[in-house]
Amino acid sequence: MLTVELDELDHHKDSVIGYSPWKTITQEMIQAFADATGDHQWIHLDVERAERESPWKSTVAHGYLTASLIPLLNQQVIDVQGKSASINYGLNKLRFPAAVKSGGQIRSKMELLDVSRIDDQRTLATYRTTVEIRGEDKPACVVENLAMYIR
């Protein structure tokens, strides 16, 4: 994990910050996400049908489940010091190139694209997060995620 002072964050611009540990996506997580969002499509929940009919031969995680794990994964990659709070400010260019099968493992790769001082209290960081799938060529998710750091 990279530990960095907020005032020195820009020294890491245009570089890979690091990688999170691998996290397993369980069928229980997929079910809980489906229940929370109301997205009960069979490709996520019907294990027997998915094994027979889906192109992945398995149930798969919702793309937005994968995206929702980015804060959890990324907080294991970087620890920005000298702030009182971090706010998920938004996303740019969200894409889901590949599906994550139930039981698959993912991790995030973080790159710092930009750092902007908004005012004396706020700094906006733009990261490119690539959610990789263990053993797969294509990532599950690629996104520019924005973090607002408050002093």
Side-chain angles (χ1 to χ4, degrees):
M1 173 183 291
L2 174 67
T3 301
V4 62
E5 288 293 325
L6 181 56
D7 291 336
E8 297 175 4
L9 184 59
D10 62 342
H11 296 131
H12 299 277
K13 189 174 166 187
D14 298 320
S15 67
V16 174
I17 301 297
Y19 297 82
S20 73
W22 292 102
K23 178 161 187 63
T24 301
I25 304 301
T26 66
Q27 190 61 44
E28 292 76 19
M29 291 170 66
I30 296 169
Q31 181 69 54
F33 190 85
D35 292 342
T37 62
D39 183 349
H40 291 97
Q41 192 175 169
W42 69 268
I43 63 171
H44 304 301
L45 304 178
D46 190 333
V47 174
E48 293 171 2
R49 183 176 177 189
E51 288 174 350
R52 285 191 323 270
E53 298 179 31
S54 86
W56 306 280
K57 302 300 181 200
S58 170
T59 54
V60 294
H62 306 73
Y64 286 110
L65 168 56
T66 303
S68 74
L69 293 172
I70 289 172
L72 171 72
L73 297 170
N74 285 356
Q75 71 183 1
Q76 298 173 77
V77 178
I78 188 169
D79 179 17
V80 178
Q81 301 284 305
K83 60 173 176 39
S84 64
S86 298
I87 298 169
N88 293 319
Y89 195 70
L91 304 173
N92 297 331
K93 302 177 185 177
L94 176 63
R95 299 291 182 265
F96 300 113
V100 180
K101 295 177 185 178
S102 178
Q105 293 186 312
I106 62 171
R107 72 175 179 183
S108 67
K109 171 187 170 186
M110 287 183 74
E111 301 168 79
L112 181 60
L113 301 180
D114 194 31
V115 180
S116 302
R117 289 289 298 265
I118 304 302
D119 57 33
D120 289 344
Q121 298 300 310
R122 299 176 299 156
T123 300
L124 182 65
T126 303
Y127 297 96
R128 178 182 303 115
T129 297
T130 303
V131 179
E132 300 176 338
I133 307 169
R134 181 173 265 174
E136 299 290 333
D137 293 332
K138 289 184 179 179
C141 179
V142 181
V143 63
E144 288 182 10
N145 56 297
L146 309 174
M148 183 71 73
Y149 298 116
I150 312 296
R151 290 193 182 277

